Amino acid sequence: KARKIADFRHVVCAAPKFLKNFGSVRHPSDLQSAPGLCYGNLPYPAIWTFRGPDGESGTVTVTPRLEATNGGALREAAIAGHGFLCEPSFIVHAAVEQGLLCPLLTDYRWHDMAIYAVYPATRHLSSRVRRFLDFVSDRFGSKPYWNDFLEDAPS
């Protein structure tokens, strides 16, 4: 069985000093061939899919500057000014809140996903497992704290 715990969004962001040199980003097409910090466990790490506020959908292909399978390492590379990053909000939220990364194109949706708890299907769920599932669902729930910055982010 599986129980949905929380939603999370992917966010495109970059360091302020990187953006100062690169220039403004107003549309996903502005990222075409830009230096990207790419998550290597995806089938096509350099191809980022999006859905716009008007329903427009598409892809943009960045030029991989770094490919890694650790979101924290990619976040640190973005903070150091090495390129654009498209990572889950729970990985970048603290850096955004500290001003180390600037969220971009927040009115676009990039790889929305959810976190699930997966457990064996049994007739009677143990009280410990049930309490744990209730705890994490209540803790993160329908409005997880790591998405808070997206509500106030400039588009």
Side-chain angles (χ1 to χ4, degrees):
K1 287 189 130 189
R3 179 171 167 183
K4 185 176 175 180
I5 302 299
D7 291 313
F8 67 91
R9 289 178 53 188
H10 278 69
V11 183
V12 172
C13 49
K17 64 182 175 184
F18 178 82
L19 291 171
K20 187 176 181 181
N21 293 328
F22 185 84
S24 65
V25 176
R26 292 192 173 89
H27 186 270
S29 62
D30 296 335
L31 299 172
Q32 190 69 34
S33 301
L37 307 171
C38 303
Y39 187 70
N41 271 350
L42 298 173
Y44 304 101
I47 299 174
W48 298 352
T49 60
F50 64 87
R51 190 177 71 246
D54 59 355
E56 162 198 23
S57 62
T59 62
V60 62
T61 303
V62 298
T63 301
R65 180 168 277 174
L66 174 66
E67 198 172 299
T69 58
N70 182 297
L74 291 168
R75 178 192 61 227
E76 295 305 311
I79 290 169
H82 295 297
F84 291 100
L85 176 70
C86 185
E87 282 290 309
S89 52
F90 64 83
I91 292 177
V92 300
H93 77 94
V96 169
E97 290 165 358
Q98 295 169 26
L100 301 173
L101 291 175
C102 299
L104 305 166
L105 305 169
T106 57
D107 51 341
Y108 287 81
R109 302 301 285 237
W110 307 82
H111 317 293
D112 288 353
M113 299 176 88
I115 298 170
Y116 288 85
V118 180
Y119 52 93
T122 62
R123 190 170 188 183
H124 300 287
L125 192 61
S126 79
S127 61
R128 284 189 211 181
V129 172
R130 187 181 328 279
R131 282 194 311 266
F132 175 73
L133 293 173
D134 290 344
F135 169 77
V136 294
S137 292
D138 290 344
R139 172 72 171 98
F140 303 120
S142 62
K143 191 174 178 286
Y145 66 89
W146 55 72
N147 284 342
D148 288 349
F149 75 91
L150 292 169
E151 294 176 11
D152 302 323
S155 298

